[in-house]
Amino acid sequence: QQQVRQSPQSLTVWEGETAILNCSYEDSTFDYFPWYWQFPRESPALLIAIRPVSNKKEDGRFTIFFNKREKKLSLHITDSQPGDSATYFCAASTSSSFSKLVFGQGTSLSVVP
Amino acid sequence: NAGVIQTPRHKVTGKGQEATLWCEPISGHSAVFWYRQTIVQGLEFLTYFRNQAPIDDSGMPKERFSAQMPNQSHSTLKIQSTQPQDSAVYLCASSHDRDEQYFGPGTRLTVL
């Protein structure tokens, strides 16, 4: 059972456009949602994260929008750059204590110059 | 801060051989997590330790896989009688609080 789902599987945008990556989850006990990005031949690196106490988290060109009622979140990348080309993973955990991350299958983003 | 260290970076074993993977967490981090990544299954949780104690091994295959954390500076993942389906990148992550997990570079295991 896939508890965290991502769409689309792949996405291509032009440089300067806004990329929108979607994520949904099933387990209502999840209360911490990090996004990781992964470049070829590297390991995942933490990009940005959100807790449901807020419905928006911004860090530079990267913004998470969170909808607790619908159990959905999205990552918006404004002014996309070729260097943003990577696979993006949405993850979730129950952070009442240290807890495992459940990952989505990832979205492969290509930013074309 | 050297980050999470994993050794070896690459390991090739023959079917039926044993593989031991090492992880050194970031100094001061009290939790260590093991995941594996494949094209088909994606990123899967295996097991984790907090303050060296095993907390959750729900993702570990019950046979052939074992993990230990004998001290706060390293953890090992051992796979006995390796099979081709064990081929994957094994990732170790550490955390100093309940949220942020930082991944090491991974060990790419290839079972021939």
PDB file of all heavy atoms in Angstrom, chain A residues 39-72:
ATOM      1  N   PHE A  39      20.162  14.309  -6.841  1.00  0.00           N
ATOM      2  CA  PHE A  39      20.835  14.453  -8.130  1.00  0.00           C
ATOM      3  C   PHE A  39      21.446  13.112  -8.506  1.00  0.00           C
ATOM      4  O   PHE A  39      21.714  12.260  -7.643  1.00  0.00           O
ATOM      5  CB  PHE A  39      21.890  15.556  -8.065  1.00  0.00           C
ATOM      6  CG  PHE A  39      21.303  16.907  -7.770  1.00  0.00           C
ATOM      7  CD1 PHE A  39      21.256  17.386  -6.473  1.00  0.00           C
ATOM      8  CD2 PHE A  39      20.770  17.686  -8.790  1.00  0.00           C
ATOM      9  CE1 PHE A  39      20.693  18.627  -6.189  1.00  0.00           C
ATOM     10  CE2 PHE A  39      20.195  18.918  -8.519  1.00  0.00           C
ATOM     11  CZ  PHE A  39      20.160  19.390  -7.217  1.00  0.00           C
ATOM     12  N   PRO A  40      21.653  12.889  -9.801  1.00  0.00           N
ATOM     13  CA  PRO A  40      22.211  11.599 -10.242  1.00  0.00           C
ATOM     14  C   PRO A  40      23.497  11.250  -9.494  1.00  0.00           C
ATOM     15  O   PRO A  40      24.357  12.100  -9.272  1.00  0.00           O
ATOM     16  CB  PRO A  40      22.468  11.836 -11.731  1.00  0.00           C
ATOM     17  CG  PRO A  40      21.481  12.880 -12.117  1.00  0.00           C
ATOM     18  CD  PRO A  40      21.353  13.780 -10.932  1.00  0.00           C
ATOM     19  N   ARG A  41      23.566   9.986  -9.064  1.00  0.00           N
ATOM     20  CA  ARG A  41      24.748   9.439  -8.382  1.00  0.00           C
ATOM     21  C   ARG A  41      25.001  10.095  -7.030  1.00  0.00           C
ATOM     22  O   ARG A  41      26.103   9.996  -6.491  1.00  0.00           O
ATOM     23  CB  ARG A  41      25.989   9.532  -9.271  1.00  0.00           C
ATOM     24  CG  ARG A  41      25.890   8.642 -10.509  1.00  0.00           C
ATOM     25  CD  ARG A  41      27.032   8.887 -11.476  1.00  0.00           C
ATOM     26  NE  ARG A  41      27.026  10.250 -12.000  1.00  0.00           N
ATOM     27  CZ  ARG A  41      26.221  10.665 -12.942  1.00  0.00           C
ATOM     28  NH1 ARG A  41      25.328   9.850 -13.468  1.00  0.00           N
ATOM     29  NH2 ARG A  41      26.283  11.927 -13.371  1.00  0.00           N
ATOM     30  N   GLU A  42      23.984  10.773  -6.485  1.00  0.00           N
ATOM     31  CA  GLU A  42      24.105  11.318  -5.139  1.00  0.00           C
ATOM     32  C   GLU A  42      22.977  10.776  -4.273  1.00  0.00           C
ATOM     33  O   GLU A  42      22.042  10.160  -4.759  1.00  0.00           O
ATOM     34  CB  GLU A  42      24.062  12.851  -5.175  1.00  0.00           C
ATOM     35  CG  GLU A  42      25.257  13.470  -5.868  1.00  0.00           C
ATOM     36  CD  GLU A  42      25.269  14.986  -5.744  1.00  0.00           C
ATOM     37  OE1 GLU A  42      24.473  15.534  -4.949  1.00  0.00           O
ATOM     38  OE2 GLU A  42      26.083  15.609  -6.438  1.00  0.00           O
ATOM     39  N   SER A  43      23.077  11.013  -2.973  1.00  0.00           N
ATOM     40  CA  SER A  43      22.031  10.579  -2.057  1.00  0.00           C
ATOM     41  C   SER A  43      21.022  11.708  -1.868  1.00  0.00           C
ATOM     42  O   SER A  43      21.303  12.861  -2.193  1.00  0.00           O
ATOM     43  CB  SER A  43      22.642  10.161  -0.721  1.00  0.00           C
ATOM     44  OG  SER A  43      23.360  11.238  -0.159  1.00  0.00           O
ATOM     45  N   PRO A  44      19.830  11.379  -1.337  1.00  0.00           N
ATOM     46  CA  PRO A  44      18.824  12.434  -1.129  1.00  0.00           C
ATOM     47  C   PRO A  44      19.320  13.484  -0.138  1.00  0.00           C
ATOM     48  O   PRO A  44      19.980  13.155   0.852  1.00  0.00           O
ATOM     49  CB  PRO A  44      17.630  11.668  -0.553  1.00  0.00           C
ATOM     50  CG  PRO A  44      17.843  10.253  -0.991  1.00  0.00           C
ATOM     51  CD  PRO A  44      19.315  10.057  -0.997  1.00  0.00           C
ATOM     52  N   ALA A  45      18.982  14.730  -0.403  1.00  0.00           N
ATOM     53  CA  ALA A  45      19.350  15.840   0.481  1.00  0.00           C
ATOM     54  C   ALA A  45      18.081  16.597   0.859  1.00  0.00           C
ATOM     55  O   ALA A  45      17.224  16.845   0.007  1.00  0.00           O
ATOM     56  CB  ALA A  45      20.343  16.767  -0.202  1.00  0.00           C
ATOM     57  N   LEU A  46      17.990  16.940   2.124  1.00  0.00           N
ATOM     58  CA  LEU A  46      16.819  17.664   2.615  1.00  0.00           C
ATOM     59  C   LEU A  46      16.744  19.041   1.976  1.00  0.00           C
ATOM     60  O   LEU A  46      17.706  19.808   2.005  1.00  0.00           O
ATOM     61  CB  LEU A  46      16.894  17.795   4.134  1.00  0.00           C
ATOM     62  CG  LEU A  46      15.740  18.507   4.828  1.00  0.00           C
ATOM     63  CD1 LEU A  46      14.428  17.758   4.609  1.00  0.00           C
ATOM     64  CD2 LEU A  46      16.033  18.644   6.317  1.00  0.00           C
ATOM     65  N   LEU A  47      15.573  19.347   1.403  1.00  0.00           N
ATOM     66  CA  LEU A  47      15.378  20.615   0.704  1.00  0.00           C
ATOM     67  C   LEU A  47      14.556  21.585   1.553  1.00  0.00           C
ATOM     68  O   LEU A  47      14.949  22.709   1.819  1.00  0.00           O
ATOM     69  CB  LEU A  47      14.680  20.355  -0.631  1.00  0.00           C
ATOM     70  CG  LEU A  47      14.304  21.553  -1.494  1.00  0.00           C
ATOM     71  CD1 LEU A  47      15.529  22.361  -1.888  1.00  0.00           C
ATOM     72  CD2 LEU A  47      13.531  21.095  -2.724  1.00  0.00           C
ATOM     73  N   ILE A  48      13.394  21.152   1.976  1.00  0.00           N
ATOM     74  CA  ILE A  48      12.478  21.994   2.728  1.00  0.00           C
ATOM     75  C   ILE A  48      11.464  21.080   3.389  1.00  0.00           C
ATOM     76  O   ILE A  48      11.215  19.976   2.908  1.00  0.00           O
ATOM     77  CB  ILE A  48      11.786  23.025   1.789  1.00  0.00           C
ATOM     78  CG1 ILE A  48      10.943  24.041   2.568  1.00  0.00           C
ATOM     79  CG2 ILE A  48      10.960  22.315   0.720  1.00  0.00           C
ATOM     80  CD1 ILE A  48      10.392  25.168   1.685  1.00  0.00           C
ATOM     81  N   ALA A  49      10.896  21.518   4.508  1.00  0.00           N
ATOM     82  CA  ALA A  49       9.943  20.669   5.231  1.00  0.00           C
ATOM     83  C   ALA A  49       8.853  21.524   5.856  1.00  0.00           C
ATOM     84  O   ALA A  49       9.043  22.724   6.086  1.00  0.00           O
ATOM     85  CB  ALA A  49      10.662  19.860   6.306  1.00  0.00           C
ATOM     86  N   ILE A  50       7.722  20.882   6.161  1.00  0.00           N
ATOM     87  CA  ILE A  50       6.593  21.595   6.745  1.00  0.00           C
ATOM     88  C   ILE A  50       5.908  20.720   7.791  1.00  0.00           C
ATOM     89  O   ILE A  50       5.927  19.488   7.691  1.00  0.00           O
ATOM     90  CB  ILE A  50       5.582  22.029   5.657  1.00  0.00           C
ATOM     91  CG1 ILE A  50       4.577  23.049   6.211  1.00  0.00           C
ATOM     92  CG2 ILE A  50       4.860  20.811   5.064  1.00  0.00           C
ATOM     93  CD1 ILE A  50       3.730  23.710   5.133  1.00  0.00           C
ATOM     94  N   ARG A  51       5.361  21.381   8.777  1.00  0.00           N
ATOM     95  CA  ARG A  51       4.486  20.735   9.749  1.00  0.00           C
ATOM     96  C   ARG A  51       3.076  21.280   9.548  1.00  0.00           C
ATOM     97  O   ARG A  51       2.910  22.429   9.157  1.00  0.00           O
ATOM     98  CB  ARG A  51       4.945  21.057  11.163  1.00  0.00           C
ATOM     99  CG  ARG A  51       6.256  20.444  11.537  1.00  0.00           C
ATOM    100  CD  ARG A  51       6.538  20.722  13.005  1.00  0.00           C
ATOM    101  NE  ARG A  51       7.586  19.857  13.490  1.00  0.00           N
ATOM    102  CZ  ARG A  51       7.372  18.599  13.873  1.00  0.00           C
ATOM    103  NH1 ARG A  51       6.164  18.095  13.833  1.00  0.00           N
ATOM    104  NH2 ARG A  51       8.377  17.879  14.302  1.00  0.00           N
ATOM    105  N   PRO A  52       2.044  20.495   9.851  1.00  0.00           N
ATOM    106  CA  PRO A  52       0.666  20.923   9.589  1.00  0.00           C
ATOM    107  C   PRO A  52       0.183  22.118  10.409  1.00  0.00           C
ATOM    108  O   PRO A  52      -0.937  22.568  10.216  1.00  0.00           O
ATOM    109  CB  PRO A  52      -0.155  19.674   9.911  1.00  0.00           C
ATOM    110  CG  PRO A  52       0.778  18.546   9.752  1.00  0.00           C
ATOM    111  CD  PRO A  52       2.098  19.065  10.214  1.00  0.00           C
ATOM    112  N   VAL A  53       1.008  22.622  11.322  1.00  0.00           N
ATOM    113  CA  VAL A  53       0.577  23.819  12.059  1.00  0.00           C
ATOM    114  C   VAL A  53       0.466  25.024  11.149  1.00  0.00           C
ATOM    115  O   VAL A  53      -0.183  26.014  11.467  1.00  0.00           O
ATOM    116  CB  VAL A  53       1.538  24.128  13.231  1.00  0.00           C
ATOM    117  CG1 VAL A  53       1.441  23.048  14.282  1.00  0.00           C
ATOM    118  CG2 VAL A  53       2.965  24.268  12.730  1.00  0.00           C
ATOM    119  N   SER A  54       1.122  24.935   9.994  1.00  0.00           N
ATOM    120  CA  SER A  54       1.015  26.006   9.016  1.00  0.00           C
ATOM    121  C   SER A  54       0.642  25.395   7.677  1.00  0.00           C
ATOM    122  O   SER A  54       0.817  24.202   7.463  1.00  0.00           O
ATOM    123  CB  SER A  54       2.311  26.800   8.910  1.00  0.00           C
ATOM    124  OG  SER A  54       3.351  25.963   8.469  1.00  0.00           O
ATOM    125  N   ASN A  55       0.104  26.211   6.777  1.00  0.00           N
ATOM    126  CA  ASN A  55      -0.277  25.680   5.464  1.00  0.00           C
ATOM    127  C   ASN A  55       0.655  26.154   4.360  1.00  0.00           C
ATOM    128  O   ASN A  55       0.391  25.914   3.176  1.00  0.00           O
ATOM    129  CB  ASN A  55      -1.723  26.036   5.134  1.00  0.00           C
ATOM    130  CG  ASN A  55      -1.966  27.536   5.185  1.00  0.00           C
ATOM    131  OD1 ASN A  55      -1.037  28.326   5.155  1.00  0.00           O
ATOM    132  ND2 ASN A  55      -3.223  27.924   5.277  1.00  0.00           N
ATOM    133  N   LYS A  56       1.744  26.808   4.765  1.00  0.00           N
ATOM    134  CA  LYS A  56       2.696  27.296   3.765  1.00  0.00           C
ATOM    135  C   LYS A  56       4.060  27.411   4.411  1.00  0.00           C
ATOM    136  O   LYS A  56       4.206  27.861   5.544  1.00  0.00           O
ATOM    137  CB  LYS A  56       2.236  28.652   3.235  1.00  0.00           C
ATOM    138  CG  LYS A  56       3.134  29.269   2.173  1.00  0.00           C
ATOM    139  CD  LYS A  56       2.568  30.607   1.727  1.00  0.00           C
ATOM    140  CE  LYS A  56       3.469  31.308   0.733  1.00  0.00           C
ATOM    141  NZ  LYS A  56       2.930  32.644   0.338  1.00  0.00           N
ATOM    142  N   LYS A  57       5.064  26.996   3.648  1.00  0.00           N
ATOM    143  CA  LYS A  57       6.453  27.145   4.101  1.00  0.00           C
ATOM    144  C   LYS A  57       7.267  27.587   2.907  1.00  0.00           C
ATOM    145  O   LYS A  57       7.218  26.975   1.846  1.00  0.00           O
ATOM    146  CB  LYS A  57       6.972  25.812   4.643  1.00  0.00           C
ATOM    147  CG  LYS A  57       8.435  25.841   5.061  1.00  0.00           C
ATOM    148  CD  LYS A  57       8.645  26.602   6.332  1.00  0.00           C
ATOM    149  CE  LYS A  57      10.083  26.518   6.823  1.00  0.00           C
ATOM    150  NZ  LYS A  57      10.444  25.175   7.294  1.00  0.00           N
ATOM    151  N   GLU A  58       7.998  28.671   3.091  1.00  0.00           N
ATOM    152  CA  GLU A  58       8.743  29.253   1.981  1.00  0.00           C
ATOM    153  C   GLU A  58      10.230  29.272   2.299  1.00  0.00           C
ATOM    154  O   GLU A  58      10.628  29.563   3.434  1.00  0.00           O
ATOM    155  CB  GLU A  58       8.241  30.692   1.768  1.00  0.00           C
ATOM    156  CG  GLU A  58       8.347  31.222   0.382  1.00  0.00           C
ATOM    157  CD  GLU A  58       7.552  32.514   0.211  1.00  0.00           C
ATOM    158  OE1 GLU A  58       6.671  32.798   1.043  1.00  0.00           O
ATOM    159  OE2 GLU A  58       7.839  33.232  -0.755  1.00  0.00           O
ATOM    160  N   ASP A  59      11.037  28.978   1.299  1.00  0.00           N
ATOM    161  CA  ASP A  59      12.480  29.091   1.438  1.00  0.00           C
ATOM    162  C   ASP A  59      13.033  29.468   0.072  1.00  0.00           C
ATOM    163  O   ASP A  59      13.244  28.615  -0.787  1.00  0.00           O
ATOM    164  CB  ASP A  59      13.080  27.770   1.920  1.00  0.00           C
ATOM    165  CG  ASP A  59      14.583  27.881   2.189  1.00  0.00           C
ATOM    166  OD1 ASP A  59      15.173  28.953   1.924  1.00  0.00           O
ATOM    167  OD2 ASP A  59      15.178  26.895   2.654  1.00  0.00           O
ATOM    168  N   GLY A  60      13.226  30.766  -0.103  1.00  0.00           N
ATOM    169  CA  GLY A  60      13.715  31.237  -1.390  1.00  0.00           C
ATOM    170  C   GLY A  60      12.728  30.954  -2.499  1.00  0.00           C
ATOM    171  O   GLY A  60      11.559  31.330  -2.416  1.00  0.00           O
ATOM    172  N   ARG A  61      13.170  30.234  -3.515  1.00  0.00           N
ATOM    173  CA  ARG A  61      12.298  29.933  -4.660  1.00  0.00           C
ATOM    174  C   ARG A  61      11.420  28.708  -4.406  1.00  0.00           C
ATOM    175  O   ARG A  61      10.616  28.349  -5.266  1.00  0.00           O
ATOM    176  CB  ARG A  61      13.162  29.698  -5.896  1.00  0.00           C
ATOM    177  CG  ARG A  61      13.962  30.927  -6.330  1.00  0.00           C
ATOM    178  CD  ARG A  61      14.724  30.666  -7.633  1.00  0.00           C
ATOM    179  NE  ARG A  61      15.773  29.665  -7.481  1.00  0.00           N
ATOM    180  CZ  ARG A  61      15.712  28.427  -7.976  1.00  0.00           C
ATOM    181  NH1 ARG A  61      14.641  28.035  -8.646  1.00  0.00           N
ATOM    182  NH2 ARG A  61      16.711  27.588  -7.810  1.00  0.00           N
ATOM    183  N   PHE A  62      11.586  28.065  -3.279  1.00  0.00           N
ATOM    184  CA  PHE A  62      10.858  26.830  -2.979  1.00  0.00           C
ATOM    185  C   PHE A  62       9.768  27.101  -1.936  1.00  0.00           C
ATOM    186  O   PHE A  62      10.056  27.661  -0.875  1.00  0.00           O
ATOM    187  CB  PHE A  62      11.824  25.762  -2.457  1.00  0.00           C
ATOM    188  CG  PHE A  62      12.910  25.410  -3.431  1.00  0.00           C
ATOM    189  CD1 PHE A  62      14.115  26.098  -3.431  1.00  0.00           C
ATOM    190  CD2 PHE A  62      12.721  24.395  -4.358  1.00  0.00           C
ATOM    191  CE1 PHE A  62      15.114  25.788  -4.341  1.00  0.00           C
ATOM    192  CE2 PHE A  62      13.715  24.072  -5.264  1.00  0.00           C
ATOM    193  CZ  PHE A  62      14.916  24.775  -5.255  1.00  0.00           C
ATOM    194  N   THR A  63       8.537  26.687  -2.249  1.00  0.00           N
ATOM    195  CA  THR A  63       7.405  26.879  -1.347  1.00  0.00           C
ATOM    196  C   THR A  63       6.588  25.616  -1.270  1.00  0.00           C
ATOM    197  O   THR A  63       6.266  25.018  -2.301  1.00  0.00           O
ATOM    198  CB  THR A  63       6.499  28.034  -1.820  1.00  0.00           C
ATOM    199  OG1 THR A  63       7.266  29.237  -1.932  1.00  0.00           O
ATOM    200  CG2 THR A  63       5.356  28.256  -0.831  1.00  0.00           C
ATOM    201  N   ILE A  64       6.262  25.203  -0.050  1.00  0.00           N
ATOM    202  CA  ILE A  64       5.338  24.088   0.157  1.00  0.00           C
ATOM    203  C   ILE A  64       3.978  24.678   0.505  1.00  0.00           C
ATOM    204  O   ILE A  64       3.857  25.537   1.393  1.00  0.00           O
ATOM    205  CB  ILE A  64       5.794  23.179   1.312  1.00  0.00           C
ATOM    206  CG1 ILE A  64       7.170  22.580   1.050  1.00  0.00           C
ATOM    207  CG2 ILE A  64       4.766  22.053   1.521  1.00  0.00           C
ATOM    208  CD1 ILE A  64       7.704  21.781   2.236  1.00  0.00           C
ATOM    209  N   PHE A  65       2.947  24.189  -0.185  1.00  0.00           N
ATOM    210  CA  PHE A  65       1.562  24.504   0.168  1.00  0.00           C
ATOM    211  C   PHE A  65       0.940  23.229   0.725  1.00  0.00           C
ATOM    212  O   PHE A  65       1.079  22.157   0.133  1.00  0.00           O
ATOM    213  CB  PHE A  65       0.786  24.983  -1.057  1.00  0.00           C
ATOM    214  CG  PHE A  65       1.256  26.314  -1.572  1.00  0.00           C
ATOM    215  CD1 PHE A  65       2.210  26.384  -2.571  1.00  0.00           C
ATOM    216  CD2 PHE A  65       0.756  27.493  -1.043  1.00  0.00           C
ATOM    217  CE1 PHE A  65       2.662  27.608  -3.055  1.00  0.00           C
ATOM    218  CE2 PHE A  65       1.196  28.720  -1.514  1.00  0.00           C
ATOM    219  CZ  PHE A  65       2.163  28.779  -2.517  1.00  0.00           C
ATOM    220  N   PHE A  66       0.259  23.362   1.845  1.00  0.00           N
ATOM    221  CA  PHE A  66      -0.247  22.181   2.559  1.00  0.00           C
ATOM    222  C   PHE A  66      -1.749  22.309   2.783  1.00  0.00           C
ATOM    223  O   PHE A  66      -2.235  23.352   3.239  1.00  0.00           O
ATOM    224  CB  PHE A  66       0.486  22.049   3.894  1.00  0.00           C
ATOM    225  CG  PHE A  66       0.106  20.838   4.677  1.00  0.00           C
ATOM    226  CD1 PHE A  66       0.618  19.593   4.355  1.00  0.00           C
ATOM    227  CD2 PHE A  66      -0.781  20.934   5.744  1.00  0.00           C
ATOM    228  CE1 PHE A  66       0.261  18.467   5.075  1.00  0.00           C
ATOM    229  CE2 PHE A  66      -1.143  19.819   6.456  1.00  0.00           C
ATOM    230  CZ  PHE A  66      -0.614  18.582   6.130  1.00  0.00           C
ATOM    231  N   ASN A  67      -2.480  21.252   2.477  1.00  0.00           N
ATOM    232  CA  ASN A  67      -3.924  21.193   2.691  1.00  0.00           C
ATOM    233  C   ASN A  67      -4.226  19.972   3.553  1.00  0.00           C
ATOM    234  O   ASN A  67      -4.295  18.851   3.058  1.00  0.00           O
ATOM    235  CB  ASN A  67      -4.661  21.111   1.352  1.00  0.00           C
ATOM    236  CG  ASN A  67      -6.164  21.170   1.505  1.00  0.00           C
ATOM    237  OD1 ASN A  67      -6.736  20.631   2.458  1.00  0.00           O
ATOM    238  ND2 ASN A  67      -6.832  21.831   0.571  1.00  0.00           N
ATOM    239  N   LYS A  68      -4.375  20.211   4.852  1.00  0.00           N
ATOM    240  CA  LYS A  68      -4.562  19.102   5.782  1.00  0.00           C
ATOM    241  C   LYS A  68      -5.884  18.376   5.547  1.00  0.00           C
ATOM    242  O   LYS A  68      -5.962  17.152   5.634  1.00  0.00           O
ATOM    243  CB  LYS A  68      -4.498  19.620   7.223  1.00  0.00           C
ATOM    244  CG  LYS A  68      -4.548  18.528   8.270  1.00  0.00           C
ATOM    245  CD  LYS A  68      -4.348  19.100   9.663  1.00  0.00           C
ATOM    246  CE  LYS A  68      -4.352  17.999  10.716  1.00  0.00           C
ATOM    247  NZ  LYS A  68      -4.139  18.547  12.074  1.00  0.00           N
ATOM    248  N   ARG A  69      -6.911  19.119   5.235  1.00  0.00           N
ATOM    249  CA  ARG A  69      -8.239  18.507   5.053  1.00  0.00           C
ATOM    250  C   ARG A  69      -8.230  17.503   3.909  1.00  0.00           C
ATOM    251  O   ARG A  69      -8.798  16.425   3.998  1.00  0.00           O
ATOM    252  CB  ARG A  69      -9.284  19.590   4.804  1.00  0.00           C
ATOM    253  CG  ARG A  69     -10.705  19.075   4.669  1.00  0.00           C
ATOM    254  CD  ARG A  69     -11.683  20.219   4.447  1.00  0.00           C
ATOM    255  NE  ARG A  69     -11.388  20.959   3.229  1.00  0.00           N
ATOM    256  CZ  ARG A  69     -11.792  20.584   2.024  1.00  0.00           C
ATOM    257  NH1 ARG A  69     -12.508  19.470   1.873  1.00  0.00           N
ATOM    258  NH2 ARG A  69     -11.490  21.311   0.964  1.00  0.00           N
ATOM    259  N   GLU A  70      -7.536  17.878   2.832  1.00  0.00           N
ATOM    260  CA  GLU A  70      -7.505  16.986   1.674  1.00  0.00           C
ATOM    261  C   GLU A  70      -6.308  16.046   1.694  1.00  0.00           C
ATOM    262  O   GLU A  70      -6.152  15.220   0.801  1.00  0.00           O
ATOM    263  CB  GLU A  70      -7.482  17.825   0.388  1.00  0.00           C
ATOM    264  CG  GLU A  70      -8.737  18.634   0.161  1.00  0.00           C
ATOM    265  CD  GLU A  70      -8.759  19.305  -1.199  1.00  0.00           C
ATOM    266  OE1 GLU A  70      -7.865  19.037  -2.023  1.00  0.00           O
ATOM    267  OE2 GLU A  70      -9.690  20.090  -1.433  1.00  0.00           O
ATOM    268  N   LYS A  71      -5.434  16.193   2.698  1.00  0.00           N
ATOM    269  CA  LYS A  71      -4.235  15.365   2.792  1.00  0.00           C
ATOM    270  C   LYS A  71      -3.386  15.507   1.535  1.00  0.00           C
ATOM    271  O   LYS A  71      -2.941  14.508   0.938  1.00  0.00           O
ATOM    272  CB  LYS A  71      -4.581  13.902   3.059  1.00  0.00           C
ATOM    273  CG  LYS A  71      -5.292  13.673   4.387  1.00  0.00           C
ATOM    274  CD  LYS A  71      -5.567  12.183   4.610  1.00  0.00           C
ATOM    275  CE  LYS A  71      -6.317  11.964   5.904  1.00  0.00           C
ATOM    276  NZ  LYS A  71      -6.685  10.542   6.094  1.00  0.00           N
ATOM    277  N   LYS A  72      -3.181  16.738   1.157  1.00  0.00           N
ATOM    278  CA  LYS A  72      -2.386  17.012  -0.040  1.00  0.00           C
ATOM    279  C   LYS A  72      -1.385  18.124   0.248  1.00  0.00           C
ATOM    280  O   LYS A  72      -1.639  19.030   1.054  1.00  0.00           O
ATOM    281  CB  LYS A  72      -3.290  17.436  -1.204  1.00  0.00           C
ATOM    282  CG  LYS A  72      -4.186  16.352  -1.741  1.00  0.00           C
ATOM    283  CD  LYS A  72      -5.018  16.879  -2.917  1.00  0.00           C
ATOM    284  CE  LYS A  72      -5.880  15.787  -3.512  1.00  0.00           C
ATOM    285  NZ  LYS A  72      -6.703  16.274  -4.649  1.00  0.00           N
TER     286      LYS A  72
END
